[in-house]
Amino acid sequence: MDVQGIRKEFPLLDTKINGNPLVYLDNAATTQKPRVVTDALLDYYRTLNSNIHRGVHHLSQQATDAFEESREYVRLFMNAAKHEEIIFTKGTTEAINLVANGFARAFLKKGDRVLVTVSDHHSDFVPWQQACLQSGAEFDIMPVERDGTLDLALLEEKLALKPKLVAFPHISNGLGLENPASKITAMAHAQGAAVLVDGAQGIAHCRVDVRDIGCDFYCWSAHKIYGPTGIGVLYGRQEWLDKLPPYQFGGEMIEEVDLQQTTFAALPFKFEAGTPPIAEAITLKNALEFVESIGFDALREHEAQLTGLAIDGLRRIDGTEIYGKEEGHSGVVSFNIEGAYHYDIGVILDQLGIAVRTGHHCAQPLMKHLGIPGCVRASFAIYNTQEEVERLLSGVKKAAEMLR
Ligand code: PMP
């Protein structure tokens, strides 16, 4: 793979931080954007800007076509069965809130259960916790093993308690471990539970096929996969989306408004109240085309190589503890150095131009489960290089010497 060629598509990577060339290893938080995306955003505002779905005029129709083409591209990208099953949202968080809110209002009641995992991001954990508090349903939490994996025998026991819904991350953002999504979904369905997959990390690191996974909902954000912020996707099986009540009310989502009551538009518009982020939705397609042009096989191989190098190197630094099982990290390495506070390591790395994330990574239940206040997380993307991993390792060595 021509990494140097790919890097040229990301001008921001040439930035210097504190006099050092930037090493951007905070990709699990958000990826940088290639020129095809930033150019397309500018082009949209220069040539196409118009509100969609309600104009008879030329620009509005063109913008509407581009918006719906992007939706269709997303459908194909995820192998969803129907155009109507792709709902544009602000991102993963809004997509999950949309489903959790609908479940709390329409399906959950006292005596019901919802099952999540302790490694869930707060964006998947808190909406379901709150939906349970509102509806009186039981909020059940699957622990993970010390190596971050799910014990499927224990899952079977939890599922025997007949939760109405099971939510889990496709790939956890704290440890970067992939859950066996199709297997978990089949097990949950066998017990009558609906399944929501938080795909915020999954979408950027593996080929997602929602029909193969078999899940009822799959949620993700464009900014994690080289696309713009402010736009994301809720995939939902039509049977569920038809039953779920609307999340927000307003323009675009109505069929007929009378003085005392309103009927709602058909899918997908029922869940898209108000003017959406049009430019972002359209240019999301450019981001996905960019990823397709590289291909998931090449992307996975490259990220696995960098992650492997980082894990090997970190193991050789005295006092380093790496979280999660030995292998199979999807572009994420989380670690601590004995005797050093994770935040201080991040500050020293930043002085060297190396951007990592420190803290609880919006996964406080997981950190508590691991018995740590937080950790350092380096996360890799398609444009990272082996030299950058080496710079990370020498930065961590330096931090270890300074802080211990
Ligand atoms: N779930 C996971 C696994 C994530 O990594 C993130 C982002 N860090 C989210 C949910 C939330 O995504 P967003 O902030 O784009 O809504």
Side-chain angles (χ1 to χ4, degrees):
M1 210 180 62
D2 176 16
V3 182
Q4 289 309 327
I6 290 174
R7 287 179 74 82
K8 291 206 180 82
E9 299 304 313
F10 293 84
L12 189 142
L13 297 176
D14 292 334
T15 307
K16 290 216 159 141
I17 305 286
N18 299 320
N20 297 300
L22 166 70
V23 176
Y24 186 77
L25 301 179
D26 196 17
N27 295 288
T30 198
T31 53
Q32 299 304 338
K33 319 304 170 202
R35 280 180 210 276
V36 281
V37 171
T38 53
D39 289 354
L41 276 168
L42 202 59
D43 273 2
Y44 169 79
Y45 284 113
R46 283 189 171 151
T47 64
L48 204 59
N49 180 44
S50 188
N51 211 332
I52 54 167
H53 291 142
R54 53 181 98 131
V56 286
H57 64 83
H58 183 80
L59 277 182
S60 172
Q61 288 185 8
Q62 274 196 322
T64 303
D65 287 350
F67 186 86
E68 291 304 326
E69 263 170 39
S70 185
R71 194 195 305 275
E72 182 58 15
Y73 197 90
V74 168
R75 178 186 81 75
L76 292 167
F77 192 83
M78 306 176 76
N79 194 30
K82 298 173 193 162
H83 193 77
E84 298 76 23
E85 295 181 324
I86 304 298
I87 313 293
F88 281 128
T89 65
K90 252 183 4 193
T92 312
T93 304
E94 191 180 50
I96 297 172
N97 272 280
L98 187 162
V99 181
N101 180 285
F103 262 73
R105 280 157 56 213
F107 306 130
L108 295 176
K109 55 181 186 332
K110 207 169 168 14
D112 289 339
R113 308 174 76 83
V114 170
L115 178 62
V116 301
T117 81
V118 78
S119 61
D120 270 293
H121 189 281
H122 295 163
S123 292
D124 200 26
F125 197 92
V126 182
W128 290 113
Q129 181 194 57
Q130 295 301 310
C132 288
L133 286 171
Q134 278 161 26
S135 62
E138 188 90 14
F139 184 55
D140 199 1
I141 303 158
M142 255 304 283
V144 290
E145 303 291 289
R146 182 74 207 167
D147 71 358
T149 55
L150 284 174
D151 173 350
L152 294 184
L154 181 60
L155 177 65
E156 197 67 76
E157 284 173 30
K158 293 273 189 193
L159 290 173
L161 300 172
K162 302 274 183 202
K164 275 228 158 129
L165 179 132
V166 176
F168 65 90
H170 193 177
I171 295 177
S172 69
N173 68 307
L175 303 177
L177 300 179
E178 183 173 339
N179 283 312
S182 323
K183 179 148 188 109
I184 296 173
T185 301
M187 288 167 70
H189 279 170
Q191 296 292 352
V195 174
L196 179 142
V197 182
D198 171 356
Q201 298 297 332
I203 197 76
H205 301 288
C206 49
R207 157 84 43 218
V208 170
D209 180 328
V210 284
R211 276 189 278 178
D212 183 46
I213 296 173
C215 56
D216 301 289
F217 304 100
Y218 192 100
C219 311
W220 54 278
S221 307
H223 70 95
K224 309 269 188 197
I225 180 165
Y226 311 103
T229 52
I231 187 78
V233 170
L234 164 67
Y235 156 78
R237 283 206 2 246
Q238 186 172 356
E239 298 90 295
W240 274 111
L241 293 181
D242 279 341
K243 286 188 281 190
L244 265 187
Y247 176 53
Q248 290 186 329
F249 302 94
E252 293 279 308
M253 56 76 69
I254 55 94
E255 181 191 54
E256 182 72 38
V257 180
D258 284 324
L259 291 187
Q260 300 303 332
Q261 61 189 3
T262 295
T263 53
F264 304 122
L267 293 173
F269 308 112
K270 173 177 143 187
F271 293 109
E272 293 182 355
T275 301
I278 304 168
E280 289 78 1
I282 291 174
T283 52
L284 160 59
K285 175 168 177 251
N286 301 90
L288 299 182
E289 283 171 344
F290 166 78
V291 173
E292 293 280 20
S293 74
I294 292 162
F296 272 100
D297 289 345
L299 179 144
R300 272 178 90 88
E301 196 185 314
H302 179 66
E303 290 177 351
Q305 197 186 19
L306 297 182
T307 316
L309 273 177
I311 291 177
D312 278 355
L314 286 170
R315 275 209 194 102
R316 289 201 203 100
I317 301 173
D318 264 359
T320 305
E321 183 175 9
I322 300 168
Y323 302 103
K325 65 180 174 156
E326 300 230 328
E327 285 178 354
H329 293 244
S330 294
V332 169
V333 185
S334 290
F335 63 95
N336 269 320
I337 301 171
E338 208 186 339
Y341 189 53
H342 54 77
Y343 176 83
D344 298 334
I345 303 170
V347 170
I348 292 172
L349 291 176
D350 181 54
Q351 282 162 3
L352 301 168
I354 304 163
V356 293
R357 183 137 298 231
T358 65
H360 53 65
H361 315 296
C362 296
Q364 284 182 355
L366 175 66
M367 297 298 131
K368 287 174 187 164
H369 187 70
L370 295 173
I372 53 174
C375 56
V376 183
R377 181 183 74 187
S379 52
F380 304 100
I382 194 68
Y383 40 66
N384 290 123
T385 64
Q386 296 193 10
E387 296 77 62
E388 288 184 315
V389 175
E390 276 149 27
R391 276 190 55 204
L392 168 73
L393 294 172
S394 69
V396 174
K397 257 183 231 151
K398 186 166 177 189
E401 282 157 19
M402 286 170 73
L403 294 170
R404 280 204 309 239

